[in-house]
Amino acid sequence: MSKIAILTSGGDAPGLNACIRSLVRTAIFHGIKTIGIHRGYDGMIEGDFFEMDAGTVSNIIQKGGTILKSSRSERFKTPEGRETAFQQLKKAGIEAVLVIGGDGSLAGAKYFAATYPIPWIGIPKTIDNDISGTDYAIGFDTATNTAMQAIDNIRDTAESHNRIYFVEVMGRNSGSIAYKTGISVGAEAIYIPETNTDLEHLFDVFERGWSRKKSSLIVVVAEGDEAGGAFAISKKVKEKFPQFDMAVCILGHVQRGGSPTCNDRVLATKLGVAAIDALLSGQKNIMVGEVKGEILYTPLENVVKRHLEITPAMTELIDILSI
Ligand code: ADP
């Protein structure tokens, strides 16, 4: 193995740069030349390649975003697009590809690898933490910490004004950010796509809170909650309690950016080293993950979207702590 390519693909997440740095430095350590691919699969199709050295990744471990840029590529979803990508890789003498991506990017890698002889290694990143084969994907820890800090700030203003806040966090199909963040900010209620939003229960929580003179209430809602998100839920609550002062805050893309947490930097670094190790030991078409502190290799064909499982104990935890 003398020449590899690396890219970031799909929605960005904090920690991508830490992983890029780890891949490049580990490759150089083993005498492997690293080619960076700009703009995900679109850049692969267009041959937007450049050589990386140890200096290319200096001083990026703490930075959000991705120095390689990212994209969503419709062309890579087609056999013609993947054929062009293969020709570009072949022309550049690439012997293996390492992609840092979510379940979509890893599916793309799987389809490519099924047709062409170049080995692939995937590294999981997603702020929703919804990829099987790893306890945590790169970006989730930072996204939850960013949301937690923002909601702590909202709690201050909610307290000052005796106000109810409905805070919407990211998660179109996943309540992972909402659940973890909601626990960490002491939310009075948490609504996520994985559970049925019971407004009668929410009304009870509000009445109980107000009767014991709570001066603020925070409801954390995942954007994909089946009740329609924070605005829809707040509207229904306003109809029931018109006398209450209420506000909605949509946190949005702040959760994708920012300096990665210590956990994300360390995870990204470990997965980068493990990815190069896997390649050197002859593994191919796998994703590297970390489960219970140990590196785990999962064939790309077995990597699936993981759904957050809400146990009765998790629901009870929220109820007990919101009294
Ligand atoms: P993420 O990797 O963050 O889940 P996406 O789902 O948008 O993000 O996927 C990123 C890119 O991966 C897509 O734009 C596309 O180029 C590629 N991809 C996703 N799904 C497939 C698929 N089924 N077949 C081929 N390529 C895919």
Side-chain angles (χ1 to χ4, degrees), residues 123-144:
I123 302 172
K125 65 85 212 159
T126 144
I127 59 167
D128 286 329
N129 205 31
D130 56 357
I131 300 179
S132 67
T134 192
D135 285 342
Y136 293 101
I138 297 167
F140 175 66
D141 191 62
T142 307
T144 48

Side-chain angles (χ1 to χ4, degrees), residues 9-11 41 71-78 82 101-109 111 125:
S9 168
Y41 292 141
S71 72
R72 292 195 155 101
S73 168
E74 284 308 310
R75 285 179 288 172
F76 197 77
K77 288 184 178 169
T78 66
R82 293 197 290 275
D103 66 309
S105 304
L106 298 174
Y111 291 124
K125 65 85 212 159

